[in-house]
Amino acid sequence: MVELEFQQKARALIDSLKSICANYGLGNDGNEFKIITQAFLYKFLNDKFAYEAKRIKPILVAEASLGDALAKMPKNELEMLQRRMGGDTARLKPQHFISYLYNRQATADFAKLFDDTLLDIAISNNDVFAVKTDGGTKVVLFDRLSQYIADESKRDDFCRAIINKLVDFSFERIFTQKFDFYATLFEYLIKDYNSNSGGKYAEYFTPHAVARIMAEILVPQATRSDVRNVSVYDPSAGSGTLLMNVAHAIGENRCSIYTQDISQKSSSLLRLNLILNNLVHSIPNVIQGNTVLHPYHRDGKDLKKFDYIVSNPPFKLDFSDFRDALDSKENKPRFFAGIPKVKPKATDKMEIYQLFLQHIIYSLKPDGKAAVVVPTGFITAQSGIDKGIRQYLVEHKMLAGVVSMPSNIFATTGTNVSILFIDASNKDKVVLIDASNLGEKIKDGKNQKTVLIQEEEQRIIDTFNAKQAVEDFSVAVSYKDIEGKNYSLSAGQYFDVKIEYVDITPEQFAEKVQKFTSSLNSLFGQSRELEVEIKKQLAGLKHE
């Protein structure tokens, strides 16, 4: 009940912030998502600090204004209080609290006070909360939000409107709850801002069904108590849906997240996701940059190897501007199956997922596991880089299996997708599942998508983890079987061909043969008549 009530109020807050942006001319503006996500984050950091302060010093619970109570506290006592807080709690000063700003709305240049407060929080917490670029520049928590209002005379009122919405909302009741339910809230928060906008680097929100299936197969329930102190990597992280699911499966305090993504927007959203999901300790590992061209995470000079890797990489992208830079001696081991060629037409995009997939294989530890979303065409291609990658996985015996998903599982793309599971320790059977007939088709705005119900998700997970062979659904095959099928990873190619047998009497058999014979005789007769007619028509042709 607490969870449902909180989600309703949180969504109402998000809608209110969107309404404020619209009222000040920023509806559907490119900066709207920055304002909403940063205001949302500001409130979260306030409430997390308040929750921790009251937990450590219960006397603060009775205080009407926590900010005022902290302002009266001796400096050394306040410092001691902050040191006792966890590393995922931002360090705040009394004047950073929303209540402090709320009580000073009559101040001249309120927008400046508001912006200065956010920037001071960002500077005070830069070491923990800043995202880095691959060049080493730190991207701080907050911007000057009022700068996005072109009319300077309206900036004070804009900032007051935000503060008035934030002051009536609280996260504190749910900090004792498991963080999993933030997933749906986070999706609601960013649903309008993390879609394919037609730009060069299209961003897609990975459906939670896909993310859950990947996590439950990578980290099965039966093995979770043994998993600890592991690294989880996504080289095309987006807003982090896949990572959050794997982290929850392992335990947030048992893993460290490592990411890279070329999009500044996605990196900012990922940071917010990590904060909401109790994974602040991994923020220093969030890198904004080009993974394919400049992979960031290293152990010394060598690329870092990871225990778990998840990814939903972009499938096709024109990377002709840096394609030749990839074709170097240094990159040969990483791109072992080759680098896609530049397309003859400038409008044709290149198969960049092939590079991400090879990078993932190269970045796995010897006993590591990975789950990657790929276009379904990858699993059956008869030649080229796709086949080369599959052949490599088979020859090195590092396949766990493939799940072919229903069409339109992603509402934003019509490409059929499969999930490729890699397991360097699996030397036995490989599981291939055809889940293409599962799910219910529903409308999602202008698009149609397929949604799996929970029982269908669980069926896929249980069948895969048990390595079960289920008629017309799954097979468990050997590496030799796969080699014999030209390295195809399509379950359908391994299903038994069924021949229906029906018992009939000799009389019934004779009757059927007679009908077939009569039918053939009729067709042969028509053929002879047609032959005569064609010859007659040809004989009548004259040259004029």
Side-chain angles (χ1 to χ4, degrees):
M1 184 66 183
V2 171
E3 177 182 328
L4 181 60
E5 181 184 352
F6 169 75
Q7 287 196 8
Q8 290 172 344
K9 289 182 177 180
R11 290 178 178 180
L13 171 63
I14 294 164
D15 289 340
S16 294
L17 293 172
K18 288 184 178 181
S19 178
I20 290 171
C21 288
N23 290 339
Y24 284 86
L26 293 173
N28 298 318
D29 182 87
N31 295 308
E32 182 188 25
F33 94 94
K34 291 183 181 180
I35 295 167
I36 292 171
T37 54
Q38 290 187 27
F40 192 85
L41 176 59
Y42 175 42
K43 179 58 179 173
F44 181 90
L45 296 180
N46 262 246
D47 290 353
K48 186 69 187 297
F49 187 101
Y51 169 80
E52 292 293 334
K54 293 172 185 176
R55 180 182 62 82
I56 296 167
K57 204 172 181 66
I59 193 172
L60 293 172
V61 174
E63 294 289 345
S65 172
L66 182 63
D68 290 343
L70 293 175
K72 297 173 185 176
M73 193 178 290
K75 185 178 180 181
N76 63 332
E77 190 177 339
L78 180 58
E79 289 176 353
M80 181 62 71
L81 177 67
Q82 292 189 338
R83 280 199 292 269
R84 292 180 62 187
M85 293 180 180
D88 59 347
T89 303
R91 299 299 182 253
L92 301 181
K93 303 170 187 175
Q95 63 268 29
H96 289 161
F97 278 85
I98 290 171
S99 58
Y100 179 91
L101 293 180
Y102 179 80
N103 292 328
R104 285 158 181 80
Q105 292 186 64
T107 304
D109 294 329
F110 181 74
K112 183 178 185 303
L113 175 62
F114 179 84
D115 288 340
D116 287 347
T117 300
L118 294 185
L119 290 182
D120 195 38
I121 294 172
I123 292 168
S124 301
N125 294 276
N126 205 35
D127 290 343
V128 176
F129 289 90
V131 171
K132 287 186 293 187
T133 67
D134 54 12
T137 300
K138 288 191 173 183
V139 182
V140 297
L141 269 174
F142 297 114
D143 300 311
R144 287 189 173 275
L145 295 189
S146 70
Q147 70 178 323
Y148 301 118
I149 304 298
D151 187 343
E152 294 185 18
S153 68
K154 295 181 179 179
R155 289 178 178 177
D156 288 346
D157 287 341
F158 171 72
C159 293
R160 290 185 186 109
I162 291 177
I163 287 295
N164 283 319
K165 290 299 181 184
L166 296 182
V167 77
D168 292 328
F169 178 82
S170 177
F171 283 97
E172 288 189 56
R173 289 184 64 197
I174 50 79
F175 283 125
T176 56
Q177 306 291 315
K178 179 65 178 173
F179 282 76
D180 284 12
F181 66 85
Y182 273 125
T184 53
L185 174 61
F186 186 77
E187 181 176 8
Y188 187 78
L189 175 65
I190 70 166
K191 65 186 176 68
D192 294 331
Y193 310 119
N194 206 35
S195 59
N196 177 13
S197 59
K200 182 172 182 179
Y201 297 101
E203 298 155 280
Y204 297 101
F205 191 92
T206 306
H208 287 297
V210 174
R212 282 191 292 268
I213 289 168
M214 292 168 76
E216 294 286 336
I217 290 175
L218 277 182
V219 194
Q221 292 273 359
T223 68
R224 289 181 183 177
S225 59
D226 300 325
V227 180
R228 60 187 70 245
N229 299 323
V230 294
S231 55
V232 186
Y233 175 53
D234 190 337
S236 57
S239 54
T241 303
L242 297 179
L243 291 163
M244 298 308 107
N245 279 265
V246 175
H248 292 320
I250 295 170
E252 297 88 349
N253 61 343
R254 292 183 171 193
C255 64
S256 295
I257 303 295
Y258 293 82
T259 76
Q260 192 164 349
D261 196 286
I262 201 165
S263 167
Q264 180 177 327
K265 179 174 72 174
S266 288
S267 297
S268 296
L269 290 171
L270 172 59
R271 171 171 53 188
L272 174 57
N273 214 356
L274 290 172
I275 293 170
L276 292 182
N277 283 276
N278 208 23
L279 287 158
V280 170
H281 61 275
S282 291
I283 289 178
N285 304 327
V286 174
I287 302 300
Q288 179 199 326
N290 187 329
T291 306
V292 171
L293 185 59
H294 298 298
Y296 180 86
H297 298 290
R298 294 180 179 269
D299 283 328
K301 293 183 179 180
D302 299 326
L303 288 185
K304 187 175 178 64
K305 306 291 184 180
F306 300 94
D307 297 292
Y308 294 92
I309 303 178
V310 287
S311 186
N312 175 21
F315 288 171
K316 290 194 173 184
L317 190 72
D318 176 21
F319 58 94
S320 56
D321 51 339
F322 63 86
R323 190 263 176 207
D324 291 344
L326 301 174
D327 197 5
S328 64
K329 183 179 179 181
E330 179 187 2
N331 277 323
K332 288 291 183 186
R334 187 162 63 120
F335 302 129
F336 53 85
I339 300 170
K341 292 182 171 60
V342 177
K343 301 293 184 181
K345 295 181 182 177
T347 54
D348 291 338
K349 297 179 181 179
M350 303 156 70
E351 295 82 359
I352 198 169
Y353 76 89
Q354 296 172 342
L355 297 181
F356 276 102
L357 187 49
Q358 292 177 83
H359 171 77
I360 287 165
I361 294 167
Y362 184 77
S363 299
L364 267 182
K365 285 185 176 180
D367 58 347
K369 297 181 179 182
V372 189
V373 179
V374 295
T376 294
F378 162 82
I379 68 176
T380 56
Q382 296 297 297
S383 60
I385 295 174
D386 285 340
K387 184 184 175 184
I389 295 172
R390 299 199 314 270
Q391 186 170 343
Y392 180 95
L393 293 172
V394 171
E395 290 177 351
H396 289 78
K397 293 188 175 180
M398 53 189 305
L399 261 176
V402 169
V403 177
S404 295
M405 300 299 289
S407 60
N408 299 116
I409 197 75
F410 288 80
T412 48
T413 174
T415 305
N416 289 340
V417 304
S418 295
I419 308 172
L420 174 70
F421 291 92
I422 302 168
D423 183 350
S425 65
N426 182 44
K427 309 304 178 186
D428 192 17
K429 295 289 186 178
V430 176
V431 184
L432 306 177
I433 294 179
D434 181 2
S436 60
N437 293 321
L438 301 184
E440 177 187 1
K441 297 192 183 305
I442 64 170
K443 289 290 288 183
D444 182 20
K446 296 180 181 179
N447 301 311
Q448 178 176 273
K449 70 176 181 179
T450 303
V451 177
L452 297 176
I453 61 173
Q454 188 172 355
E455 289 77 6
E456 291 173 323
E457 291 177 29
Q458 200 60 47
R459 181 188 179 193
I460 293 170
I461 293 162
D462 292 343
T463 301
F464 196 106
N465 287 338
K467 294 191 173 185
Q468 289 180 326
V470 179
E471 185 176 326
D472 291 336
F473 183 68
S474 66
V475 291
V477 297
S478 68
Y479 284 106
K480 189 173 181 180
D481 292 334
I482 296 172
E483 186 178 350
K485 292 283 189 180
N486 200 25
Y487 303 97
S488 172
L489 302 180
S490 171
Q493 294 196 22
Y494 298 86
F495 290 156
D496 292 331
V497 177
K498 292 179 291 185
I499 301 175
E500 298 288 342
Y501 291 94
V502 181
D503 289 331
I504 59 176
T505 64
E507 291 78 13
Q508 290 173 323
F509 177 77
E511 183 181 352
K512 284 181 177 292
V513 171
Q514 179 59 42
K515 287 181 178 178
F516 291 147
T517 302
S518 299
S519 179
L520 283 171
N521 286 337
S522 174
L523 291 172
F524 289 153
Q526 293 176 34
S527 175
R528 286 191 291 271
E529 291 175 4
L530 185 59
E531 180 182 354
V532 172
E533 180 63 26
I534 291 172
K535 288 181 177 179
K536 181 179 177 182
Q537 294 294 333
L538 285 173
L541 291 176
K542 295 181 180 180
H543 179 269
E544 294 183 2

